[in-house]
Amino acid sequence: ALAGRKGAVTVATNMAGRGTDIILGGNAEFLADAALRAKGLDPVEHADEYEAAWREVITEIEEQVAAEHDEVVELGGLYVVGSERHESRRIDNQLRGRSGRQGDPGESRFYLSLEDDLMRLFKSDIINWVMVALKVPDDVPIENKRVSSSIQQAQEQVEAQNFEMRKNVLKYDDVMNRQRHAIYGDRRKVLEGADVEARLRGTVDSVVEQYVRANTEGFVEDWDLEQLWTQMGTLYPVGLDRAEYEGVDLTVDELVEDFKADAQAAYDRREEELGEETMRELERQVLLTVLDRKWREHLYEMDYLREGIGLRAMAQRDPLVEYQREGGDMFNAMMEAFMEEVVGFLFNLEVKVQPAVGLQTDEAGVPMSAEVMDELLASVAAEPAVAEPEPEAAEPAKGRPVVQAKGLGERQRRPVSYSAPSETGEAVTSRDAEEDPYAGVGRNAPCPCGSGKKYKMCHGRRS
């Protein structure tokens, strides 16, 4: 605020960015506030007196600033002295722009050293050798258009390098961005209440087909039907009899169709067992839970891949291409594992359904809001109690059932114990603070037992 006053010298480490303008003659509002504070008027503690004196003081300060502004303009305006040149020309231009605010006059001058990082990029040792050979004193400045143009070329090259780095980072991030859009798009549809039954039935068909084709490669005699039935049994309750398919000449497609039909029949039985509404809720919960867990694991794996992918350049391979290829393979593997786990959960989870909490309705059957319920309860509490016959219990409005399934909820935190040798060499086991009230207590801290002694003189000695 005072950097534009006559004779003021301001030292700044960096003046880039959208900072405060340096107004020639000073900032009138800042000077007026400083004058009122000098008189003992605080804008918070003495708000009324501060506002009353503000108009008179600001008018006086503005006249003073205008007069000083003309004096500074006559002397040449603001003079900016730079001690180095930045890698970006934009920052240098912003520094120069400080001396030309809204048409005000001013000058700028930059001083560089041959030891600056920017000069080292352009063979400053040659210039230094020439200076030594010509025996030019150290205090003589080097002023030449070639030097200025070389500095500008250096800045352009550095800017091009930085641009390529940002462009390369964007290419790497684009791989994750496409995967992120695919995952979050599916997840948002489920959260918005989309029906996922058709999708999950298709997932069941694809997983079943994948299992069958993985165990029926080669000739019919080489098929391992026992292993196929075992793997299918871990996926869903198989209703097909393996004995009927042994020694029978059939194709892979026929076996795939039989297992698909059997899996869809098991899906229908599962829905009849739980009920249609409960099954829809189970589908949503299973899909969201498994998707979130698999996506978190995939993010960690992609981070590990990103950290070491640069070493592929030593094998004359493009790290970006390798990252795109392996990232895509990892995403496809994650989706396959996701589908298998979803199908296994749908058929094998033990489901407990809690009754849905119904909404309170009025006489017309319209659900009442929380505010209406509060007013109704307050009015009932204020009225005297009158004996009335009990009305027949009305059925509450149906809500979404609450499904609890093992493996879908949050994992319970178990107390962790640590063992380490003591000073005597014996094994000492320490437990979490939730299980051991003395865990984490300092030796000189008061003992938690309430004895008033230090911990090291009480329970600390016993442990």
Side-chain angles (χ1 to χ4, degrees):
L2 302 179
R5 301 201 66 179
K6 181 180 178 181
V9 177
T10 303
V11 180
T13 56
N14 196 356
M15 291 288 289
R18 299 177 180 177
T20 304
D21 289 335
I22 299 177
I23 304 175
L24 300 185
N27 192 323
E29 295 183 357
F30 180 84
L31 294 174
D33 180 74
L36 289 175
R37 290 178 181 272
K39 295 180 180 179
L41 298 179
D42 188 86
V44 179
E45 298 180 358
H46 313 89
D48 297 336
E49 295 84 351
Y50 187 91
E51 290 293 336
W54 174 260
R55 292 182 177 274
E56 181 180 355
V57 175
I58 190 64
T59 303
E60 180 182 354
I61 295 297
E62 286 178 350
E63 296 176 357
Q64 175 184 344
V65 168
E68 189 170 346
H69 175 271
D70 297 337
E71 295 181 10
V72 176
V73 170
E74 292 177 0
L75 295 175
L78 183 66
Y79 195 89
V80 176
V81 179
S83 60
E84 65 174 348
R85 291 285 289 271
H86 291 77
E87 295 181 351
S88 175
R89 291 173 295 171
R90 175 183 59 83
I91 300 179
D92 291 340
N93 293 334
Q94 287 182 352
L95 291 175
R96 293 191 181 97
R98 302 287 177 177
S99 62
R101 175 187 173 273
Q102 297 185 0
D104 290 337
E107 298 180 11
S108 63
R109 190 176 185 86
F110 286 81
Y111 294 89
L112 285 85
S113 172
L114 294 178
E115 298 179 356
D116 289 347
D117 295 336
L118 190 62
M119 294 297 296
R120 290 178 181 177
L121 298 175
F122 298 94
K123 302 179 180 180
S124 61
D125 53 345
I126 298 178
I127 301 177
N128 191 18
W129 179 81
V130 173
M131 296 289 292
V132 173
L134 297 178
K135 297 181 180 180
V136 179
D138 294 340
D139 56 350
V140 176
I142 305 175
E143 295 183 355
N144 195 304
K145 291 184 178 179
R146 293 184 179 179
V147 177
S148 300
S149 62
S150 65
I151 295 173
Q152 184 176 356
Q153 292 176 2
Q155 290 177 321
E156 292 177 355
Q157 293 184 9
V158 173
E159 290 176 358
Q161 293 176 1
N162 294 336
F163 175 75
E164 288 298 328
M165 292 173 59
R166 294 192 298 270
K167 186 178 179 181
N168 197 37
V169 171
L170 183 61
K171 290 179 180 178
Y172 278 99
D173 187 66
D174 185 59
V175 177
M176 285 299 303
N177 191 39
R178 291 197 297 267
Q179 299 178 4
R180 193 179 298 114
H181 277 293
I183 294 295
Y184 288 172
D186 294 342
R187 192 175 186 276
R188 180 173 294 276
K189 292 179 181 178
V190 178
L191 291 175
E192 290 176 352
D195 189 5
V196 295
E197 179 186 3
R199 175 183 175 183
L200 290 181
R201 285 183 178 272
T203 301
V204 171
D205 290 340
S206 61
V207 172
V208 167
E209 182 177 359
Q210 180 181 357
Y211 272 49
V212 173
R213 294 190 181 278
N215 290 276
T216 55
E217 296 179 353
F219 297 100
V220 180
E221 295 79 8
D222 300 332
W223 292 359
D224 192 350
L225 297 181
E226 181 179 359
Q227 182 179 359
L228 174 60
W229 254 258
T230 302
Q231 292 183 359
M232 285 296 184
T234 61
L235 191 66
Y236 79 97
V238 181
L240 300 178
D241 188 4
R242 179 165 57 91
E244 297 179 358
Y245 291 86
E246 293 181 351
V248 179
D249 187 11
L250 73 164
T251 62
V252 178
D253 295 336
E254 294 176 352
L255 189 59
V256 168
E257 293 299 327
D258 291 347
F259 269 105
K260 283 184 179 181
D262 185 56
Q264 294 297 332
Y267 200 98
D268 295 335
R269 292 194 300 270
R270 179 70 166 173
E271 184 172 348
E272 293 178 0
E273 175 186 354
L274 299 178
E276 181 179 358
E277 190 174 3
T278 304
M279 188 63 180
R280 300 289 86 79
E281 183 64 21
L282 178 63
E283 293 170 349
R284 284 189 288 267
Q285 288 196 17
V286 167
L287 193 62
L288 288 176
T289 304
V290 179
L291 182 63
D292 290 348
R293 182 168 62 250
K294 290 295 183 181
W295 177 243
R296 288 196 300 266
E297 296 174 358
H298 178 70
L299 290 179
Y300 286 123
E301 294 175 357
M302 292 295 291
D303 288 340
Y304 297 148
L305 176 65
R306 179 68 177 88
E307 291 177 0
I309 200 64
L311 299 176
R312 303 295 177 89
M314 301 177 63
Q316 304 299 323
R317 295 180 180 179
D318 189 354
L320 177 60
V321 176
E322 294 294 313
Y323 182 76
Q324 293 174 343
R325 181 181 59 82
E326 294 199 14
D329 294 341
M330 292 169 59
F331 183 77
N332 294 334
M334 184 269 294
M335 293 303 296
E336 292 179 1
F338 158 73
M339 291 189 297
E340 293 180 8
E341 194 166 339
V342 165
V343 175
F345 274 143
L346 283 176
F347 285 106
N348 301 317
L349 273 180
E350 180 182 350
V351 180
K352 294 181 180 180
V353 182
Q354 294 182 354
V357 179
L359 298 176
Q360 297 294 335
T361 58
D362 55 12
E363 297 178 355
V366 180
M368 291 185 291
S369 62
E371 292 79 2
V372 176
M373 284 294 299
D374 293 340
E375 295 179 0
L376 181 60
L377 291 176
S379 62
V380 171
E383 296 178 356
V386 179
E388 294 182 357
E390 296 183 358
E392 297 182 359
E395 295 183 359
K398 293 184 178 180
R400 178 179 293 181
V402 180
V403 177
Q404 292 183 346
K406 294 182 179 180
L408 291 182
E410 294 291 336
R411 297 181 179 178
Q412 296 182 354
R413 185 179 182 273
R414 297 181 179 178
V416 182
S417 61
Y418 306 91
S419 61
S422 62
E423 297 179 357
T424 60
E426 298 179 357
V428 178
T429 303
S430 59
R431 299 181 178 179
D432 279 357
E434 294 183 1
E435 185 178 357
D436 186 4
Y438 302 100
V441 180
R443 287 175 49 82
N444 294 320
C447 188
C449 68
S451 62
K453 299 180 181 180
K454 292 184 178 180
Y455 175 70
K456 65 180 180 181
M457 302 300 296
C458 189
H459 285 77
R461 176 181 296 178
R462 302 173 187 175
S463 59

